Each structure stands twice: as C-alpha cells, then as structure tokens.
Amino acid sequence: MTELLSDAKIVIIGGGIVGASTAYHLGKMGYSDTVLIERGKLTSGTTFHAAGLVGQLRSNANITQLLGYSVDLYKTLEAETGQATGWKMNGGLRLACNQERWTEVKRQATTAHSFGLDMQLLTPKEAQDLWPMMNVDDVVGAAFLPTDGQANPSDITLSLAKGARMKGVTIMEDTEVLEVLVEDGKITGVLTNKGRIACEKVVNCCGQWARQEAKKVGVNVPLVSVEHQYMITEKIEGITSDLPTLRDPDRLTYYKEDVGGLVMGGYEPNGIPWAVKGFPEKFHFSLLDSNWDHFEQLMELALGRVPALETAGVRELINGPESFTPDGNFILGEAPELKNYFVGAGFNAFGIAAGGGAGMALAEWVVNGEPPYDLWPADIRRFGQAHFDTDWVRKRTLEAYGKHYTMAWPFEEHKTGRPNRRSPLYERLKEQGACFGEKLGWERPNWFAKKGQEPKDIYSFERQNWFNNVGEEHKATREAVTVFDQSSFAKFKLIGPDAEKALSWICANDVSKKTGSLTYTQMLNDRGGVECDLTVVRLAKDAFYIVTGTGYATHDFDWIKRNIPEGLNAHLVDVTSGFAVLSVMGPDARKLLQKITEDKLDNDNFPFGSIRTIGIAGAPVTALRVTYVGELGWELHIPTEFAASVFEALSKAGEEVGLRNAGYRAIESLRLEKGYRAWASDIGPDHTPIEAGMSWACKLKSDIAFKGRSALETQIKNGVKKRLCCFTVDDPNVVLLGRETIYRNGQRVGWLTSAGYGFTIEKNIGYGYVRCRDGVDMAYLKSGSYQLEVGTELFDCAIQFKALYDPEMQKIKQ
C-alpha cells in the first residue's frame, strides 16, 4: 500500500515478526480495520538477522503453551498463505556436561512432562547418533524435544504479513510514525510522515526501539539493545538438513543447520551494549561490524564441541543488536500509564520462537482487554518505579544476558543494580546478618546469618546453605516471636464518597464493614480468575487502605484503577513509600508488643481482622491484626520517619522474650504449612477461588453483585475440572521446588505450583492443581493414589485435605 488510510480501529507500529503476527491474528479475529506501519521494509529491524531457533520449554506453563502455539502455527502457515516459512520440526537437543547441569536438565524434563511436552533423556551416545558431528567426551547426558525446530525469520514474517493482508489488514511500508496523538489521556490517532490516521488503539511492536517510542507518550518499556553475534559456515561434510538444533549451555553456545553448513552463536558473560547514546538514523537491514576478538571466547568453546569448525569455511559473522530485558522475559500487554496503548517487545533473542504465540496473545489482549490466559511472567505490569532509569535497566539486562545459558539455580538472585530501594531498617538488618533478596527493586531480608557465618546464598539443587537458618527462624515464629521487615509491601489508599461502592464491585469479599475492620479478599476477572490477592482496611466512611505483595504493585494498582466503575467518585493513591512495615508474629507477639504500648491488645479489645492506631516509641502506628504465617501477630504500619525508633523499641523489649529476626524464606515455609495461597503461583487469573478452595473469602451468601460473581456461581452449579491440593513427601532426600509432575493412579494430572519444606511437620510440602476433564470433586480426589515426578524419578506422596499445621496449635483467636 502507498496510499495512507485516514482512520483505523488499531494501528500497529513495527513490521518485525511480532508486529506481523499481531496483524495476522487481528485479521483472523475479524479486525480488518487494522493498519501495520513500518518505517522501512518488513523485517528490516531485528527480525532479518535473527538466528531462527524455535524452542518451547520455559519454566512457566503458559509461556510454554504460548511457544507451543508458535510451533503449531508455523506447521500450517505456508500451506495457508502460499509463502515459504523455512519451518523444519527437526527437534532440539540440550546437553549436560557436569552433574549439576544434568540435575538441571532432568528437572527441566520433569517440567516438560508437567506441561505435556515429550522431552526425552538420552545418553551421550544417543545424542551423538542424532548429532554425529559433535564430540561427546565430556557429555553426561542430553535432553531431546522432538517438536522443537527452526525457521527462516524473514520468510515466517512475510508469510504472517501475507496472511494478514489476505484477511484485509493494511500494511504500510516506508512510513514513519512521528507521533502518537493523545488528548485528555486518550489515544486519538497517529501522525506519520504521510499524514494522520485516526485510531482508538496503538500497538508498539518496535523491537529495540520500543523503549524510546513508548517514552514519548509517558510509557516505560524496560529494555535495551545488546550486540548478539553468530557465525555462518560454508557447507560442512556430514551436516544434513534434518539435524536437530543444538544447545550446549555449559559451552554457552547454540547450533542449527543452514544450507549444509552451521549457524553457531551464543551468550557470552560480558555482553556489549549497543546504542547507549541513541540509535543511528535509518538503521534498516543494517548490521554492526563483526567483532572477532569478542566472539573468540565462544569460538574456542565451540571448537571443543564441533571440531569440524576448525577447518570449516566461514561465510559471515553476523553482529546484529537485539533487545533484551532485565529479567530475560519478553514484554506484553497494555501499558499501565496509558489506556489502549499496547506493547509487544523485548524478546531476548527468542522472538522467532515466541512470535506466533505472542502475536496471538497480543491480538486477544487488544480486542478483549485481557490475554487468553495468564501471562504474568511476560506482563508489562511486572515492572515499576525501579525500572525507569535506563542505566539501571542496562546493568541488570547485561547480567541477565550473561546468564542466558548459565545454571538456572533455585532461589537465584540478581547482583547488579543493588541496593536500589531500601527500607529505613536496611543498614540495621544488614549489621544483624540479613541476606537480602530483591523484588521490584526492593531489598528484602530472605534469611539471617549466625555470628561468624557469611550472609550469602550458596546455590545448589540440594538443600542450600541457609536451610537450617530458615528452620530456626520458622521454629522461633511457631514457638516464640519474630519480626519481619515487610516495608516493601505495596500500599494504596482509595479515597472518595464512592470508595465503598467501588470496592464492593471490585472485591470478591465483603468490604462494607465498619471503620477499623480488615478484610482479606481477592479481586476477580469476569471468568472468576484471581487478578489480585490482598488486604483491605476500612479507615473511614470514605477511605480504605489496601495492602498487597511487593512484586504486584504496578499490576494491582492498575487493576483497581481500571475497574472503578465509570462515574464513581473514588481516587486511588500509591502511598507505599510513606509507610514501613514490621510484622511481629508468634505466640509471644502480644506479650512483646504490650511491653512497648499502653494500648490494650487483648482479644476483646483488639480482635483478629481489625486495626487500631496505637502508640509505640512516640510513633502513631497503624496495627493490623492479621497473619500470613499461621500465628498470633500484627503488621505494624509505621510512618517511614518513625520506623527506626519503633524497631529499636521492639529490639530492646524483645531481649526478654527471645525476639529474633526472620526473613521471607521463613514466611514461605510457614505459609505452606498453614495452607495460605500465593498469587502468581497457587492462584492467578486462570484460577478461581472455587478451584483454589477459597470460596469462603467470597460474599456469595450475600446478594451483593461483584465482578466475577456469575462465573463462580456457574462453577458451583456445574462443578470444576481442577482443584488445588496439598501433597506431602516423607522422604527427606527429596527436594521439592515447584513444577514437579503430579500423577494420580499413574496418569499425569497436573504439576506443583509451589513447594518447600515444612519445618514444624518435618515434611516436604507441595501445592498443585489436580485436573480432570470430567470434573474433580472430593470423591475423585480421595479415590486416587498419588506420586510426584522429581527430576524424572517418581516418589510416593500423600494428598492432604486439611491445613498441615493445626489451628488449635496456634490459638490464633486468643
């Protein structure tokens, strides 16, 4: 097309694989009034120089499902459009060259089985039979996924674009978007070098340019460009067209067949950032100068695996910059800063693998206002204030790039860009032995070292070095009293005459209680899925205080704000930085707090599920009687400037009652024993309170309407096809980490959503959904015998129907 349309429903900016895929899927959904605008030619940004490997397995089931959708699409796309794609489903090999890597690969194979993928474990000889040109002297084992493959990135994109055109979508090449037009916070169109297009929605698929383009309208897209090199050889004798793709993470390299030769690239630990001072003009179909000196480190590693490379002719060393993100996952979804502005970018060199599925998900997000299923690991709302500074983003992204093929250790923390956000008690806790983890930029104590012990994680697939420390913190919480610094909690206020009315619609539980009441509640989507899991406090007739998890600050604020019914007078404000939080938990919590406050804390004066403002050390402290660990306790929400004084008072009084610090890993162990759910693992947008055993937290016995209610009522009437269940394993040598496969009577029925060790009951604990198409009820659950697959081995487990930690033991109501 050369003639610009004057208006459209949706404008996509960027003609790489993700933009073309989004256009294709919008056309397929009947949205032919879509325009894709590319300032150069299709594929001329990053797509044309992508390596084209298509793998599927990720650590998240739905991201794996999205990549699997890509494979299914690529199988049929050429037949549909008549445009070649270069798709070959020749399988993918992954090598392990030491015992720890072999453990990782076996756990990956179990994850694959959980998600329905046929990942096979091979001996070194079996792997060599599939890939004869490689040396296997150091190989311990390998995994083979037959449905992986490879594609020609440009051909796939052109095929998607042709499919979009066939469905009526307009594609404009050589057209530059100069400005996204916004009036009163509403998108009205885009201005191009050829004129204006009126539109309602914009989709930013600009690849490594997505950050700078989004910034123009106040949207933050945390990604930066990194140089990525791969070598293309001349033909090599013995290389056949059916050769599987090969990943050799211990040597940081990957390989695929290319016209009888090989493509070989990798992820070096010292990646080179690009465009630090800005992008050059008209960088279309452009590459960077080959950097042989930098590539040499990968070449040396590759020669040990494929000796034939030493004498192979080299056609080209491609150096093409690509966009990478701080956590190694791509970015999808509607921007929290601007309604109807969507982003699909930051694909970390697996854009071809993700392109088909990402375009499908993004198209559905644009049309329906939500993705087809929970895509939290890729959701743009996982980022926040810590990700605005480009220097910070670049540091963290380069670390993530360097970890692309390193061991994916359980509980691994990033190192760069830290510390960033700190509670007022950070230095004190550091002096007291805190080993910090980081979430959304916040430094949070994970565990505390003993005297003479270095507060540092030592990673392993076995019990890690902090295991006993966490056990002692757990025990102290159960038997005495501990204090947790949870200042990183996200905290909002909803204020206005219609605040109650708004929350009554958004919240599944009843928040229309008297001032001073506290309500634990979920917020649901129209399918009944749990979008938010949080605490709502009534401060006044027209004011509520909302507390949610650290990592969900952006997501939950966005969800609440977007779902306040139109016309209601209620205003949401983020007050996170205004309050520190100290959680005092354990049977001696009341005894400790009563030493430092004159306010009465007995159950008659301060019952569970209520809040009071109490005085401690000269500070007005909002105390919430609530628990996530299954013990008597209070969250103390303290104006930030008073936090140090309150902590000092607690510490001094705590000497008499054995107060000790505890961290987030103890919280995890404690909540698993008590059966409390965690959002983004046990519950989320794909899981309803009925399926998760949490209908008690919904106001279904009332006649109050709330978002998602009808979906829950339908489930109650018709039954459910999955239920969250608890499993325990007695064998102390088993380490449960999550994603282990659940078998019922020998049949795969699900996987663990979260797992850990219960130090009180001295057993491994796992939670996961048991699934059955014909329905899951209590009789079905009780009639089965269960096993868990852990690292491809099966272990007997017991299904549990009550909280593992008996409420009578904690006497929480006293």
Side-chain angles (χ1 to χ4, degrees):
M1 289 284 295
T2 56
E3 189 175 325
L4 193 72
L5 297 179
S6 60
D7 63 85
K9 185 86 171 177
I10 303 158
V11 170
I12 302 166
I13 309 173
I17 188 168
V18 179
S21 180
T22 304
Y24 169 86
H25 286 94
L26 284 170
K28 196 172 183 180
M29 294 172 73
Y31 284 79
S32 57
D33 51 349
T34 295
V35 178
L36 184 153
I37 300 176
E38 165 56 46
R39 64 181 176 179
K41 301 293 185 184
L42 294 177
T43 79
S44 64
T46 299
T47 299
F48 84 95
H49 61 71
L53 279 70
V54 179
Q56 297 168 85
L57 181 63
R58 293 295 184 272
S59 61
N60 175 271
N62 286 354
I63 300 298
T64 299
Q65 181 180 343
L66 183 146
L67 298 178
Y69 177 91
S70 293
V71 168
D72 291 340
L73 175 64
Y74 298 163
K75 287 178 188 176
T76 61
L77 192 60
E78 183 172 339
E80 177 188 344
T81 66
Q83 165 70 45
T85 61
W87 168 248
K88 291 194 298 184
M89 196 170 75
N90 44 2
L93 268 173
R94 180 176 289 266
L95 305 181
C97 301
N98 56 63
Q99 286 302 324
E100 287 180 323
R101 180 72 74 178
W102 184 229
T103 298
E104 179 192 53
V105 166
K106 287 189 291 184
R107 283 191 172 267
Q108 288 172 336
T110 289
T111 298
H113 301 159
S114 290
F115 302 164
L117 292 175
D118 178 28
M119 181 172 273
Q120 305 160 10
L121 295 183
L122 307 180
T123 65
K125 178 64 170 61
E126 289 170 332
Q128 191 177 43
D129 288 344
L130 289 173
W131 226 92
M133 299 298 292
M134 70 172 167
N135 172 25
V136 295
D137 289 351
D138 61 339
V139 175
V140 175
F144 180 62
L145 194 53
T147 52
D148 278 357
Q150 64 188 66
N152 182 303
S154 293
D155 286 348
I156 282 269
T157 304
L158 294 174
S159 186
L160 287 164
K162 185 175 180 181
R165 288 191 184 101
M166 289 166 63
K167 293 168 177 63
V169 172
T170 301
I171 296 179
M172 300 290 301
E173 297 182 297
D174 300 312
T175 306
E176 184 173 1
V177 173
L178 304 175
E179 184 182 357
V180 173
L181 304 172
V182 180
E183 295 178 14
D184 298 325
K186 184 178 179 181
I187 291 173
T188 60
V190 296
L191 180 65
T192 79
N193 60 340
K194 295 179 180 178
R196 182 182 185 276
I197 305 176
C199 68
E200 299 175 11
K201 300 179 180 182
V202 168
V203 188
N204 178 341
C205 296
C206 298
Q208 58 192 332
W209 292 270
R211 181 172 177 82
Q212 73 170 24
E213 293 306 309
K215 190 175 182 181
K216 295 175 182 177
V217 289
V219 170
N220 184 42
V221 180
L223 57 79
V224 293
S225 300
V226 181
E227 295 186 15
H228 185 69
Q229 296 193 111
Y230 62 83
M231 181 180 73
I232 307 174
T233 75
E234 303 286 357
K235 285 188 177 182
I236 299 175
E237 188 176 346
I239 298 296
T240 57
S241 62
D242 60 349
L243 200 68
T245 60
L246 175 66
R247 291 170 179 84
D248 187 4
D250 291 307
R251 291 178 180 265
L252 308 178
T253 49
Y254 62 78
Y255 308 80
K256 77 161 188 173
E257 184 272 339
D258 183 77
V259 198
L262 285 177
V263 167
M264 184 279 286
Y267 297 89
E268 65 279 14
N270 55 338
I272 300 174
W274 183 68
V276 174
K277 300 297 184 183
F279 294 97
E281 287 291 321
K282 299 193 181 301
F283 193 77
H284 309 317
F285 289 120
S286 300
L287 296 170
L288 307 179
D289 291 339
S290 301
N291 189 338
W292 282 103
D293 289 342
H294 193 71
F295 193 71
E296 184 179 4
Q297 58 190 310
L298 295 179
M299 192 67 194
E300 289 178 355
L301 291 167
L303 289 174
R305 178 67 60 225
V306 187
L309 288 175
E310 191 165 0
T311 56
V314 176
R315 285 193 358 228
E316 195 173 5
L317 179 63
I318 299 287
N319 187 356
E322 299 193 36
S323 61
F324 290 81
T325 65
D327 61 2
N329 237 322
F330 51 90
I331 301 172
L332 286 182
E334 187 174 7
E337 301 94 341
L338 180 60
K339 187 177 181 181
N340 288 335
Y341 188 91
F342 295 82
V343 177
F347 280 85
N348 300 275
F350 62 99
I352 308 307
M360 175 274 295
L362 197 51
E364 293 207 20
W365 216 322
V366 170
V367 171
N368 301 323
E370 61 181 7
Y373 38 75
D374 179 17
L375 290 172
W376 173 244
D379 195 314
I380 191 171
R381 294 170 295 178
R382 73 189 188 272
F383 298 111
Q385 295 181 56
H387 307 97
F388 277 90
D389 177 54
T390 303
D391 287 339
W392 188 97
V393 171
R394 185 173 291 111
K395 287 176 186 175
R396 177 60 60 83
T397 299
L398 287 172
E399 180 186 4
Y401 177 91
K403 286 180 174 179
H404 197 96
Y405 276 161
T406 59
M407 295 286 294
W409 296 112
F411 311 106
E412 186 175 9
E413 296 280 351
H414 289 297
K415 296 178 180 179
T416 53
R418 298 179 57 187
N420 188 358
R421 306 173 79 181
R422 285 171 271 188
S423 101
L425 306 175
Y426 173 80
E427 293 297 339
R428 285 176 173 80
L429 296 177
K430 187 177 180 181
E431 290 170 3
Q432 293 172 16
C435 180
F436 292 94
E438 181 255 345
K439 199 161 198 176
L440 207 67
W442 282 98
E443 294 293 321
R444 312 191 311 169
N446 276 340
W447 59 278
F448 286 81
K450 300 175 185 177
K451 191 174 182 180
Q453 180 185 12
E454 185 180 6
K456 179 183 178 182
D457 290 332
I458 300 175
Y459 298 124
S460 165
F461 283 102
E462 305 302 321
R463 301 293 183 201
Q464 296 189 6
N465 64 310
W466 43 263
F467 184 76
N468 291 332
N469 299 66
V470 170
E472 291 180 13
E473 294 170 21
H474 178 118
K475 187 171 188 284
T477 308
R478 289 277 183 253
E479 298 178 0
V481 60
T482 53
V483 58
F484 302 87
D485 181 5
Q486 296 189 280
S487 299
S488 63
F489 272 155
K491 299 166 282 276
F492 316 136
K493 283 186 178 179
L494 187 70
I495 301 170
D498 295 325
E500 180 190 313
K501 197 171 184 180
L503 282 178
S504 287
W505 168 250
I506 304 170
C507 295
N509 209 344
D510 186 3
V511 298
S512 60
K513 300 173 183 175
K514 64 181 181 180
T515 297
S517 296
L518 178 155
T519 305
Y520 167 65
T521 185
Q522 285 83 46
M523 295 176 173
L524 311 180
N525 55 41
D526 291 334
R527 294 173 284 110
V530 179
E531 291 286 349
C532 307
D533 180 63
L534 39 73
T535 301
V536 175
V537 173
R538 184 154 207 169
L539 299 176
K541 181 180 179 182
D542 60 353
F544 291 82
Y545 182 65
I546 301 169
V547 184
T548 190
T550 304
Y552 317 128
T554 307
H555 174 278
D556 289 8
F557 188 92
D558 179 69
W559 180 264
I560 297 167
K561 185 177 178 182
R562 287 178 185 270
N563 285 284
I564 295 172
E566 193 171 345
L568 294 189
N569 186 352
H571 305 279
L572 190 65
V573 183
D574 190 330
V575 296
T576 299
S577 298
F579 298 90
V581 179
L582 292 174
S583 295
V584 180
M585 298 287 158
D588 292 336
R590 182 181 286 115
K591 181 197 285 188
L592 169 59
L593 288 173
Q594 204 65 81
K595 288 176 178 290
I596 57 175
T597 183
E598 294 183 2
D599 294 276
K600 294 181 179 180
L601 304 180
D602 60 280
N603 203 56
D604 290 338
N605 286 288
F606 204 150
F608 184 78
S610 63
I611 71 137
R612 301 282 186 275
T613 299
I614 64 176
I616 299 178
V621 176
T622 303
L624 281 58
R625 179 85 190 276
V626 67
T627 181
Y628 189 56
V629 299
E631 296 295 341
L632 173 70
W634 282 263
E635 284 179 14
L636 306 179
H637 291 243
I638 310 156
T640 302
E641 67 271 24
F642 291 105
S645 297
V646 173
F647 184 73
E648 288 164 3
L650 275 171
S651 299
K652 186 174 181 181
E655 292 174 3
E656 299 177 25
V657 294
L659 174 70
R660 67 180 292 163
N661 291 310
Y664 273 82
R665 292 194 178 139
I667 292 174
E668 180 67 4
S669 172
L670 291 157
R671 74 96 185 167
L672 286 170
E673 283 188 340
K674 188 63 183 69
Y676 292 137
R677 285 33 172 162
W679 196 83
S681 55
D682 306 320
I683 53 177
D686 293 342
H687 311 304
T688 72
I690 310 300
E691 296 164 341
M694 302 181 72
S695 58
W696 58 268
C698 301
K699 53 194 176 209
L700 290 166
K701 293 180 180 179
S702 76
D703 59 358
I704 303 171
F706 62 90
K707 190 175 178 66
R709 177 171 185 142
S710 61
L712 300 191
E713 290 173 335
T714 299
Q715 280 196 331
I716 291 171
K717 179 182 178 181
N718 298 334
V720 297
K721 299 182 186 303
K722 63 180 178 182
R723 284 188 184 271
L724 185 67
C725 299
C726 176
F727 301 91
T728 54
V729 178
D730 292 338
D731 189 337
N733 296 315
V734 174
V735 177
L736 298 183
L737 299 171
R739 302 190 302 278
E740 291 84 1
T741 317
I742 305 168
Y743 290 89
R744 177 185 178 274
N745 297 342
Q747 298 296 313
R748 179 174 60 85
V749 293
W751 61 90
L752 296 187
T753 53
S754 63
Y757 188 79
F759 291 93
T760 305
I761 66 167
E762 297 183 332
K763 291 182 180 181
N764 297 287
I765 305 169
Y767 287 86
Y769 287 89
V770 173
R771 293 164 163 83
C772 179
R773 290 180 180 177
D774 297 327
V776 178
D777 57 16
M778 191 59 71
Y780 176 86
L781 294 172
K782 287 184 174 180
S783 64
S785 61
Y786 295 89
Q787 291 179 305
L788 293 176
E789 181 185 333
V790 185
T792 69
E793 293 185 55
L794 290 175
F795 295 89
D796 291 335
C797 63
I799 190 169
Q800 308 289 343
F801 297 102
K802 294 182 179 179
L804 301 171
Y805 181 62
D806 188 345
E808 287 301 310
M809 294 167 61
Q810 52 168 324
K811 298 178 181 172
I812 192 170
K813 301 296 182 184
Q814 290 188 5

